[in-house]
Amino acid sequence: MEKLLSIVLCGRNDNYLGDFKYRIQTAINYVGMNCARAGVKDDVEIIVVDWNSDEPLSQTLQLLPDTHEICRYIVVPPEFIRIHYPGGRRFHIEAAVNVGLRRANSHYAIMIPADILFTESTLANLVAVLKGKRKIIFDPRRTTICLDRKMLPWQIVDKQPTIDQWDRYIQLCGRHLFHDRYWIGVDGGYGGLLLHRDLWWECQGFDENNTGWGNSDLDWGLRMGQKYPRVSLEPLGIMLYDMDQRPEFAGQRQMGSMSYGNRIDLGSPNWGIGGVEFEQTMGIRSAEISFASELLVRSDQETALKLIRQAAEQIVPTLQGVETLPTGSIEHTLLAVLAWYCVTYWPARYFEFNCHAGLSTLAYAQLCSFGEIYAFDEYEEFERTNNTSNNILRYLDTLPQFHFYPIGFRGHTQLLTGNSMTVFDRLQSVFLGEMQFDIAVLRCDALKTSEQCLSMVDKLMNVLTHNGALFITAQSIDFFNSFHITIHQKYARHHFLHSPDQPFILLINSNAN
């Protein structure tokens, strides 16, 4: 059955960027599941061009049922590459994309990188636009259509979120993400390039003489602009999300050579390796899929202490407000351990009890700028007088949250005030989804008794993720000594670090949830 839209992506079964299997499998399954959620499965097909894989992607990737129904692989095998592309690149993105575009069974086709996420709303809106169900000023059949992208930070990608976790992250933090918009007007920086099939055949896809996607989209845009208008669908609520890579992998994406001609077509009637019948398959259907992040490996204490000392020397001095702290103070120690933990585990969800009392919330916001921050502060409501608004503003100015935007924090945050003994229950009542934290800081001074501190430790340990960290500290060493031995005994197997002369304990949850 002919579809409305083909989503075309390509890849090779290798370790490109270190986690390619996770990226492409998640992207494909995210499309399939959100097509089902949006009610557009009958309108969309997914085409995966498997270029030069020794072990086919179709035998490696696991597809969820909704994805399996609408996905097909086109296999360009190594033996074909050896004959027709001798001495060439192991992966030829322009040729691979063209193979999929030429064989798309749809009115429209869109080319995307292999690690792009389509949300449910994007798919619903896109199908509505292509079906003429939205009031638009252009004819999609005669327009170069571009889909903008926002970049998903590599620190979050590294944690290999599930589909539901990606939903949460995009919905809570998506508005703050970097919107890639370089080379405006020549199709640079887009996440998807879409044409009616007649236009794909007219322009004959992408120029296979180019090397590297950073060139091919520019050449394609310049050629298409000779004849057709260009429109971005971002104003219509259509946005793609692209998984960013670790900085050390940037060298794998080198810019190559670029050719350009003024004619819209390439003079290549056999573009996309026409006349060759490649194997097509549906791949592996799976009900459940999971990835185990390599980051969830507990550090040994000796290595951690070395790295904490390095963090104290190299990272802590860069943190906002740290110049006010005496070196060797309890807060300085807390920030050093926090910095080590953040750059080792990239914790995505943070909670602090009594956030007004130190710099750790601000430090987390600076180190993990795309996370979720939940904080409690024992704010006492001001007496309502003529100066009430000024008092409140002065209070807000002193909170760490006041500094989040200037230091580059672009995640999600929620601040709770009021009674310290009810904050945990109140947070549970307003929390979206299951309440879990990767990292928590308990400043015990806001509590009155050691029993209250122990109760709060119990509650926080119950909501920590595997390898989640709980920092426990206090200003009063006497108060701290009234409960820290009990904590050490009760949580001995979770105990990781403590300071022999300062009120500080670090527990790392060793329970696999």
Side-chain angles (χ1 to χ4, degrees), residues 177-218:
L177 298 177
F178 172 69
H179 186 171
D180 197 351
R181 286 175 286 194
Y182 63 92
W183 288 323
I184 294 174
V186 287
D187 298 328
Y190 289 107
L193 303 173
L194 186 153
L195 292 176
H196 189 274
R197 65 182 173 193
D198 292 344
L199 272 62
W200 280 121
W201 280 82
E202 181 180 357
C203 73
Q204 299 173 339
F206 295 94
D207 189 346
E208 295 182 21
N209 293 313
N210 290 329
T211 58
W213 186 241
N215 294 324
S216 295
D217 52 355
L218 298 178

Short mmCIF file of all heavy atoms in Angstrom, two decimals, residues 177-218:
data_model
loop_
_atom_site.label_atom_id
_atom_site.label_comp_id
_atom_site.label_asym_id
_atom_site.label_seq_id
_atom_site.Cartn_x
_atom_site.Cartn_y
_atom_site.Cartn_z
N LEU A 177 16.62 23.74 24.83
CA LEU A 177 17.70 23.11 24.08
C LEU A 177 18.18 24.00 22.92
O LEU A 177 17.42 24.82 22.39
CB LEU A 177 17.23 21.76 23.52
CG LEU A 177 16.85 20.72 24.57
CD1 LEU A 177 16.35 19.46 23.89
CD2 LEU A 177 18.03 20.40 25.48
N PHE A 178 19.44 23.77 22.53
CA PHE A 178 20.04 24.54 21.45
C PHE A 178 19.33 24.25 20.13
O PHE A 178 19.21 23.10 19.72
CB PHE A 178 21.52 24.21 21.32
CG PHE A 178 22.18 24.80 20.11
CD1 PHE A 178 22.37 26.18 20.02
CD2 PHE A 178 22.58 24.00 19.05
CE1 PHE A 178 22.97 26.74 18.89
CE2 PHE A 178 23.18 24.55 17.93
CZ PHE A 178 23.37 25.92 17.85
N HIS A 179 18.86 25.30 19.49
CA HIS A 179 18.15 25.20 18.21
C HIS A 179 19.18 25.44 17.11
O HIS A 179 19.67 26.55 16.94
CB HIS A 179 17.05 26.26 18.19
CG HIS A 179 16.14 26.18 16.99
ND1 HIS A 179 14.99 26.92 16.89
CD2 HIS A 179 16.21 25.44 15.85
CE1 HIS A 179 14.39 26.66 15.74
NE2 HIS A 179 15.12 25.76 15.10
N ASP A 180 19.50 24.41 16.36
CA ASP A 180 20.56 24.47 15.36
C ASP A 180 20.08 25.27 14.15
O ASP A 180 19.18 24.83 13.42
CB ASP A 180 20.95 23.05 14.95
CG ASP A 180 22.29 23.00 14.24
OD1 ASP A 180 22.82 24.07 13.92
OD2 ASP A 180 22.80 21.89 14.02
N ARG A 181 20.69 26.44 13.93
CA ARG A 181 20.21 27.32 12.86
C ARG A 181 21.38 28.00 12.15
O ARG A 181 21.36 29.20 11.93
CB ARG A 181 19.25 28.37 13.41
CG ARG A 181 17.88 27.81 13.75
CD ARG A 181 17.02 28.86 14.40
NE ARG A 181 17.45 29.11 15.77
CZ ARG A 181 16.72 29.77 16.66
NH1 ARG A 181 15.54 30.24 16.34
NH2 ARG A 181 17.17 29.97 17.88
N TYR A 182 22.41 27.27 11.79
CA TYR A 182 23.51 27.90 11.07
C TYR A 182 23.23 27.89 9.57
O TYR A 182 22.40 27.14 9.07
CB TYR A 182 24.83 27.20 11.39
CG TYR A 182 24.93 25.76 10.96
CD1 TYR A 182 25.45 25.42 9.72
CD2 TYR A 182 24.48 24.73 11.80
CE1 TYR A 182 25.54 24.10 9.32
CE2 TYR A 182 24.57 23.40 11.40
CZ TYR A 182 25.09 23.09 10.17
OH TYR A 182 25.16 21.79 9.77
N TRP A 183 23.94 28.75 8.83
CA TRP A 183 23.78 28.88 7.39
C TRP A 183 22.31 29.05 6.99
O TRP A 183 21.75 28.32 6.19
CB TRP A 183 24.38 27.67 6.66
CG TRP A 183 25.87 27.66 6.68
CD1 TRP A 183 26.69 28.74 6.58
CD2 TRP A 183 26.72 26.53 6.80
NE1 TRP A 183 28.00 28.37 6.64
CE2 TRP A 183 28.06 27.00 6.78
CE3 TRP A 183 26.50 25.17 6.92
CZ2 TRP A 183 29.14 26.16 6.88
CZ3 TRP A 183 27.59 24.33 7.02
CH2 TRP A 183 28.88 24.82 6.99
N ILE A 184 21.69 30.04 7.57
CA ILE A 184 20.28 30.29 7.31
C ILE A 184 20.09 30.61 5.83
O ILE A 184 20.80 31.42 5.25
CB ILE A 184 19.78 31.46 8.19
CG1 ILE A 184 19.83 31.06 9.66
CG2 ILE A 184 18.35 31.86 7.80
CD1 ILE A 184 19.50 32.18 10.62
N GLY A 185 19.11 29.95 5.24
CA GLY A 185 18.78 30.22 3.85
C GLY A 185 19.34 29.24 2.85
O GLY A 185 18.95 29.27 1.68
N VAL A 186 20.26 28.37 3.28
CA VAL A 186 20.80 27.37 2.36
C VAL A 186 20.71 25.97 2.95
O VAL A 186 21.53 25.11 2.70
CB VAL A 186 22.26 27.69 1.95
CG1 VAL A 186 22.31 28.87 1.00
CG2 VAL A 186 23.12 27.96 3.17
N ASP A 187 19.72 25.75 3.80
CA ASP A 187 19.38 24.42 4.31
C ASP A 187 20.44 23.83 5.23
O ASP A 187 20.56 22.61 5.34
CB ASP A 187 19.10 23.44 3.16
CG ASP A 187 17.90 23.88 2.34
OD1 ASP A 187 17.00 24.50 2.92
OD2 ASP A 187 17.88 23.64 1.13
N GLY A 188 21.23 24.66 5.89
CA GLY A 188 22.19 24.15 6.85
C GLY A 188 21.58 24.05 8.24
O GLY A 188 20.79 24.90 8.65
N GLY A 189 21.95 23.00 8.96
CA GLY A 189 21.52 22.86 10.34
C GLY A 189 20.16 22.25 10.54
O GLY A 189 19.65 22.24 11.66
N TYR A 190 19.54 21.74 9.50
CA TYR A 190 18.22 21.14 9.66
C TYR A 190 18.33 19.66 10.06
O TYR A 190 19.33 19.00 9.78
CB TYR A 190 17.41 21.27 8.37
CG TYR A 190 16.95 22.68 8.10
CD1 TYR A 190 17.54 23.44 7.09
CD2 TYR A 190 15.95 23.27 8.87
CE1 TYR A 190 17.13 24.75 6.85
CE2 TYR A 190 15.54 24.57 8.63
CZ TYR A 190 16.12 25.30 7.63
OH TYR A 190 15.73 26.59 7.40
N GLY A 191 17.28 19.16 10.67
CA GLY A 191 17.25 17.76 11.07
C GLY A 191 16.62 16.86 10.03
O GLY A 191 16.83 15.65 10.03
N GLY A 192 15.81 17.44 9.13
CA GLY A 192 15.15 16.66 8.11
C GLY A 192 14.90 17.49 6.86
O GLY A 192 14.58 18.68 6.94
N LEU A 193 15.08 16.89 5.68
CA LEU A 193 14.87 17.54 4.40
C LEU A 193 13.82 16.73 3.63
O LEU A 193 14.00 15.54 3.39
CB LEU A 193 16.18 17.61 3.61
CG LEU A 193 17.32 18.33 4.36
CD1 LEU A 193 18.63 18.20 3.58
CD2 LEU A 193 16.99 19.80 4.60
N LEU A 194 12.72 17.40 3.26
CA LEU A 194 11.54 16.70 2.77
C LEU A 194 11.09 17.27 1.43
O LEU A 194 11.05 18.48 1.25
CB LEU A 194 10.42 16.83 3.82
CG LEU A 194 9.11 16.07 3.61
CD1 LEU A 194 8.45 15.77 4.97
CD2 LEU A 194 8.11 16.84 2.75
N LEU A 195 10.75 16.37 0.53
CA LEU A 195 10.21 16.75 -0.77
C LEU A 195 9.10 15.79 -1.19
O LEU A 195 9.07 14.62 -0.75
CB LEU A 195 11.29 16.70 -1.86
CG LEU A 195 12.45 17.70 -1.82
CD1 LEU A 195 13.43 17.37 -2.94
CD2 LEU A 195 11.96 19.12 -1.93
N HIS A 196 8.23 16.27 -2.07
CA HIS A 196 7.33 15.38 -2.78
C HIS A 196 8.18 14.46 -3.66
O HIS A 196 9.27 14.85 -4.12
CB HIS A 196 6.35 16.18 -3.61
CG HIS A 196 5.26 15.37 -4.22
ND1 HIS A 196 5.40 14.71 -5.43
CD2 HIS A 196 3.99 15.09 -3.78
CE1 HIS A 196 4.28 14.07 -5.72
NE2 HIS A 196 3.40 14.28 -4.73
N ARG A 197 7.72 13.26 -3.91
CA ARG A 197 8.53 12.30 -4.66
C ARG A 197 8.88 12.80 -6.06
O ARG A 197 9.95 12.49 -6.59
CB ARG A 197 7.81 10.95 -4.75
CG ARG A 197 6.52 10.97 -5.54
CD ARG A 197 5.86 9.61 -5.53
NE ARG A 197 4.53 9.66 -6.14
CZ ARG A 197 3.64 8.67 -6.04
NH1 ARG A 197 3.95 7.59 -5.35
NH2 ARG A 197 2.47 8.78 -6.61
N ASP A 198 7.98 13.61 -6.69
CA ASP A 198 8.29 14.13 -8.02
C ASP A 198 9.52 15.04 -7.97
O ASP A 198 10.33 15.05 -8.91
CB ASP A 198 7.09 14.91 -8.57
CG ASP A 198 5.90 14.01 -8.87
OD1 ASP A 198 6.10 12.77 -8.94
OD2 ASP A 198 4.79 14.54 -9.02
N LEU A 199 9.66 15.78 -6.88
CA LEU A 199 10.81 16.68 -6.75
C LEU A 199 12.08 15.92 -6.43
O LEU A 199 13.18 16.31 -6.87
CB LEU A 199 10.53 17.75 -5.68
CG LEU A 199 9.83 19.02 -6.18
CD1 LEU A 199 8.44 18.69 -6.73
CD2 LEU A 199 9.70 20.05 -5.06
N TRP A 200 11.97 14.82 -5.65
CA TRP A 200 13.16 14.00 -5.41
C TRP A 200 13.68 13.43 -6.73
O TRP A 200 14.90 13.39 -6.97
CB TRP A 200 12.85 12.85 -4.44
CG TRP A 200 12.84 13.22 -2.99
CD1 TRP A 200 11.81 13.11 -2.11
CD2 TRP A 200 13.95 13.75 -2.25
NE1 TRP A 200 12.18 13.55 -0.86
CE2 TRP A 200 13.49 13.94 -0.92
CE3 TRP A 200 15.26 14.10 -2.56
CZ2 TRP A 200 14.31 14.45 0.09
CZ3 TRP A 200 16.08 14.61 -1.57
CH2 TRP A 200 15.61 14.78 -0.27
N TRP A 201 12.78 12.98 -7.59
CA TRP A 201 13.21 12.45 -8.87
C TRP A 201 13.74 13.56 -9.78
O TRP A 201 14.68 13.34 -10.56
CB TRP A 201 12.06 11.71 -9.55
CG TRP A 201 11.90 10.32 -8.97
CD1 TRP A 201 11.25 9.99 -7.83
CD2 TRP A 201 12.44 9.12 -9.49
NE1 TRP A 201 11.34 8.64 -7.59
CE2 TRP A 201 12.07 8.07 -8.61
CE3 TRP A 201 13.19 8.80 -10.63
CZ2 TRP A 201 12.43 6.74 -8.82
CZ3 TRP A 201 13.55 7.48 -10.85
CH2 TRP A 201 13.16 6.47 -9.95
N GLU A 202 13.18 14.75 -9.66
CA GLU A 202 13.66 15.85 -10.49
C GLU A 202 15.08 16.27 -10.10
O GLU A 202 15.93 16.50 -10.97
CB GLU A 202 12.72 17.05 -10.37
CG GLU A 202 13.16 18.23 -11.24
CD GLU A 202 12.22 19.42 -11.13
OE1 GLU A 202 11.19 19.32 -10.43
OE2 GLU A 202 12.53 20.46 -11.75
N CYS A 203 15.34 16.37 -8.80
CA CYS A 203 16.68 16.80 -8.37
C CYS A 203 17.67 15.64 -8.31
O CYS A 203 18.87 15.84 -8.14
CB CYS A 203 16.62 17.51 -7.02
SG CYS A 203 16.33 16.42 -5.60
N GLN A 204 17.15 14.40 -8.39
CA GLN A 204 17.98 13.18 -8.39
C GLN A 204 18.78 13.04 -7.09
O GLN A 204 19.95 12.64 -7.09
CB GLN A 204 18.89 13.16 -9.62
CG GLN A 204 18.10 13.16 -10.92
CD GLN A 204 18.94 13.30 -12.15
OE1 GLN A 204 20.07 13.78 -12.10
NE2 GLN A 204 18.41 12.89 -13.31
N GLY A 205 18.11 13.37 -6.01
CA GLY A 205 18.68 13.13 -4.68
C GLY A 205 19.88 14.00 -4.38
O GLY A 205 19.97 15.16 -4.80
N PHE A 206 20.85 13.40 -3.67
CA PHE A 206 22.04 14.12 -3.22
C PHE A 206 23.23 13.76 -4.11
O PHE A 206 23.35 12.63 -4.59
CB PHE A 206 22.34 13.79 -1.76
CG PHE A 206 21.26 14.27 -0.83
CD1 PHE A 206 20.22 13.42 -0.46
CD2 PHE A 206 21.25 15.56 -0.35
CE1 PHE A 206 19.21 13.86 0.38
CE2 PHE A 206 20.24 16.01 0.49
CZ PHE A 206 19.22 15.16 0.85
N ASP A 207 24.12 14.72 -4.28
CA ASP A 207 25.28 14.55 -5.15
C ASP A 207 26.26 13.56 -4.50
O ASP A 207 26.84 13.85 -3.45
CB ASP A 207 25.95 15.90 -5.38
CG ASP A 207 27.05 15.83 -6.44
OD1 ASP A 207 27.46 14.71 -6.81
OD2 ASP A 207 27.47 16.90 -6.90
N GLU A 208 26.47 12.42 -5.14
CA GLU A 208 27.34 11.40 -4.57
C GLU A 208 28.82 11.72 -4.74
O GLU A 208 29.68 10.99 -4.26
CB GLU A 208 27.00 10.04 -5.18
CG GLU A 208 25.59 9.58 -4.81
CD GLU A 208 25.25 8.21 -5.36
OE1 GLU A 208 26.20 7.45 -5.69
OE2 GLU A 208 24.04 7.90 -5.47
N ASN A 209 29.13 12.83 -5.41
CA ASN A 209 30.52 13.27 -5.49
C ASN A 209 30.95 14.01 -4.22
O ASN A 209 32.15 14.21 -4.01
CB ASN A 209 30.72 14.20 -6.70
CG ASN A 209 30.56 13.47 -8.01
OD1 ASN A 209 31.12 12.40 -8.19
ND2 ASN A 209 29.79 14.05 -8.93
N ASN A 210 29.99 14.41 -3.42
CA ASN A 210 30.31 15.07 -2.16
C ASN A 210 30.70 14.04 -1.12
O ASN A 210 30.36 12.85 -1.23
CB ASN A 210 29.12 15.89 -1.66
CG ASN A 210 28.86 17.11 -2.50
OD1 ASN A 210 29.79 17.68 -3.05
ND2 ASN A 210 27.60 17.50 -2.63
N THR A 211 31.40 14.50 -0.10
CA THR A 211 31.80 13.60 0.99
C THR A 211 31.46 14.27 2.31
O THR A 211 32.02 15.30 2.65
CB THR A 211 33.30 13.31 0.94
OG1 THR A 211 34.04 14.53 1.03
CG2 THR A 211 33.68 12.59 -0.33
N GLY A 212 30.51 13.72 3.00
CA GLY A 212 30.18 14.26 4.32
C GLY A 212 28.88 15.03 4.31
O GLY A 212 28.64 15.87 3.44
N TRP A 213 28.04 14.73 5.29
CA TRP A 213 26.70 15.32 5.29
C TRP A 213 26.73 16.83 5.45
O TRP A 213 25.85 17.55 5.01
CB TRP A 213 25.87 14.69 6.40
CG TRP A 213 24.45 15.14 6.36
CD1 TRP A 213 23.76 15.82 7.30
CD2 TRP A 213 23.55 14.98 5.26
NE1 TRP A 213 22.48 16.09 6.86
CE2 TRP A 213 22.33 15.58 5.62
CE3 TRP A 213 23.66 14.39 4.00
CZ2 TRP A 213 21.22 15.60 4.77
CZ3 TRP A 213 22.55 14.42 3.16
CH2 TRP A 213 21.36 15.01 3.55
N GLY A 214 27.77 17.38 6.07
CA GLY A 214 27.85 18.83 6.23
C GLY A 214 27.95 19.57 4.91
O GLY A 214 27.73 20.78 4.85
N ASN A 215 28.29 18.86 3.83
CA ASN A 215 28.36 19.49 2.51
C ASN A 215 27.12 19.18 1.68
O ASN A 215 26.63 20.04 0.94
CB ASN A 215 29.59 19.01 1.75
CG ASN A 215 30.88 19.48 2.41
OD1 ASN A 215 30.94 20.57 2.94
ND2 ASN A 215 31.89 18.64 2.36
N SER A 216 26.63 17.98 1.77
CA SER A 216 25.58 17.53 0.86
C SER A 216 24.28 18.30 1.05
O SER A 216 23.58 18.59 0.07
CB SER A 216 25.33 16.03 1.05
OG SER A 216 26.46 15.30 0.66
N ASP A 217 23.94 18.66 2.27
CA ASP A 217 22.69 19.39 2.47
C ASP A 217 22.80 20.80 1.90
O ASP A 217 21.82 21.36 1.39
CB ASP A 217 22.29 19.41 3.94
CG ASP A 217 23.38 19.90 4.88
OD1 ASP A 217 24.51 20.14 4.41
OD2 ASP A 217 23.11 20.01 6.08
N LEU A 218 24.01 21.40 1.97
CA LEU A 218 24.18 22.74 1.43
C LEU A 218 24.06 22.73 -0.10
O LEU A 218 23.38 23.57 -0.69
CB LEU A 218 25.54 23.30 1.84
CG LEU A 218 25.76 23.47 3.35
CD1 LEU A 218 27.17 23.99 3.61
CD2 LEU A 218 24.73 24.42 3.93
#
